[in-house]
Structures are given as C-alpha cells and as structure tokens.
Amino acid sequence: MFTKLSKAAVSAVVLAAAVAMAAPAPASAASAPLSHARTTVHFDLAKGQTPENIALGPHGTSYVTLAKARQVAEVSRGGGVRILATLPEPADGGVNTPAMGLPLTTGVVRAEDGTLYFLYATGTADLTGVWRLSPGGRPQRIAALPATGLPNGLALDPRTRTLYVTDSVLGTVWRVPVSGGTATAWSTDPALAPAGFLGANGLKIHNGALWATNLDAGTVVRIPIRADGRAGTARVTATGLTGIDDFAFTGRGDQIIAALNTANEVALIRPNGTRTTVLTATDGLQGPTSIALRGKTVHVMSAAYVTAEDPNLILARLGC
C-alpha cells in the first residue's frame, strides 16, 4: 500500500520518486518474460475505488479490497464489479489512521469454502483488525488489532488455520486463528520495521516460510515457520526494490513477481535477488499495489495512489 495523504507520506513519495529516477534503469520490459498485457477493469476513482489487494476465486472470479471506499468487491471473469461489503466509517472519519489519515480496507484472502478474510485500518480500537465475510453473510470483525498500527498484508495458512498480518507502522507480523480471537505478535524482527513511513507490507506463505516485503527498505524478507509454529530468523533475500508493495510466487521455486508502487513497475525477482522489469507505465500501470497468478495469467492491481489516474486491473501472460 502507498498513498500520499500526510506530510510524512508526501516526503516519502518525493524521496521514493527521486531514488527511482536516480537509479540505473533495469532491463527493458521488451525482453522480459511477460506478454499480452491488457487492461481489463477500470475502477471508479471518484468513488474511492482504489484496488489495494486481490484474492482469486473459482471460475475466473477475483475478490479485491477497494481501500479508500472501505469496500470489498467481487470482479467477474468478464470484468464486472459487484460490491460485497462496505465497512462502517469510524466516528472520527478515520483521521487518526496511522500514516494515512483515512480508513482503508487492505489485505484480503479467500478460504476454500468461499469465506473472505480481510483487514481494516481506521486508527480506532473498535474497528481496526481482521474481518470475515462468509458467502451471503455480513462482514464482522473477528480479531482486534492495535489502533496505533496499520494492518496491511494478509496471508492464510490453511493447514494450521492461521492468518498472518503485516503491520506496516508497528513493524510486526501478527498471528490470528481463522476462528477469531486474540492476535499475538509472531515476529517483530528489525527487518520488518519502517524507516519513516511504511515497513512490512506484502505477505505470502511459501515453502515453509513467511515472506514479506518492506516498502521503506525496498526489500524482500524470508522468515522460516518453525515446526512449533514460532518464527525463525529473518533473512533479506532481495534489496534495491524501490516502493515494493505486494508480490506473488511464479511457481518456479522462490522466483517472484512484485509490484513496485512508486517506481510504477512490475518486476520479476529471481532467487539470487536480481530483477527484470516486466511491466511499466506504457503497459497501463498506475502505481501497482498487488499481484496474483492464476496458472500463467498474472493479475496486477493498480490503485493510482500517486498518479491519481485510472485505477485498474491488468492481465498479462507469464512466459517463464
């Protein structure tokens, strides 16, 4: 997640943009293993439809959080958008939401039974936390998270029926049972900490470990999940990724595709940490925030937080 809303956020945008422009240009997108990029959905910016995160469902359906609208939506295979839930606005309007200054729906995952779990950040104790939406039901909060933090990335471990949450302000990964209850701090490793704006951000579980990005540090971090469920020692696996947000594994070992929000790029990151740019603004990117893969089809959400133009969903073909 990245949005320009406070003085701290403004400074972060300016700094990140300066770094992005000063950095050496990566490999050309023309030589990258992604092709046939096309914009399939245009969201309504005037309604606050800034797509923050995505979870894939059956039959070509996807589920997205529309951050500024405080909504969760279903996107059909044909590109139709149906609002499933609108979260209640906090009494103070969300002005005290850390780093952002407004309430936001952020990470989302889908369980096999169709239940959606998602995050809501408001800066208030009564609403901030993990929420659940059962098929045909109404949204309900199942676990509170600190109002002083910013819950952002969400991952589900179906084997242990556990949800993991990155807190971008508190530099923490929280652990919550899917049944709900008390959230516990799973990791507070310094590699997750922010450096002026937002730290731990995107989140995935892969090959016995939890993988997270750190937006301020521009890194990917791997934390092993021990046999007893505790966090192992964190290790940075990639650096120099300006404005990195969410990501997805390609199915080839530890290779990932990542959204570089402020750089307005999508990058293929190899296990050795090297990267190739695979999508740019010329492909329609508007500040990419999240990535998901269905087979060889790559879904890229752009929230247009910085560009303030055409939040969208782009589909592309992965050839690697």
Side-chain angles (χ1 to χ4, degrees), residues 70-141:
R70 314 187 319 274
Q71 292 175 333
V72 178
E74 178 185 82
V75 179
S76 71
R77 185 180 189 131
V81 178
R82 180 169 71 98
I83 304 303
L84 301 178
T86 300
L87 277 291
E89 186 176 16
D92 64 0
V95 295
N96 292 313
T97 304
M100 296 297 150
L102 83 169
L104 301 164
T105 48
T106 52
V108 61
V109 294
R110 180 185 181 275
E112 284 194 9
D113 65 359
T115 300
L116 299 177
Y117 299 90
F118 57 95
L119 304 174
Y120 190 31
T122 67
T124 62
D126 61 327
L127 295 173
T128 300
V130 182
W131 289 66
R132 178 173 61 207
L133 179 62
S134 300
R138 302 180 117 189
Q140 61 177 139
R141 189 174 71 160

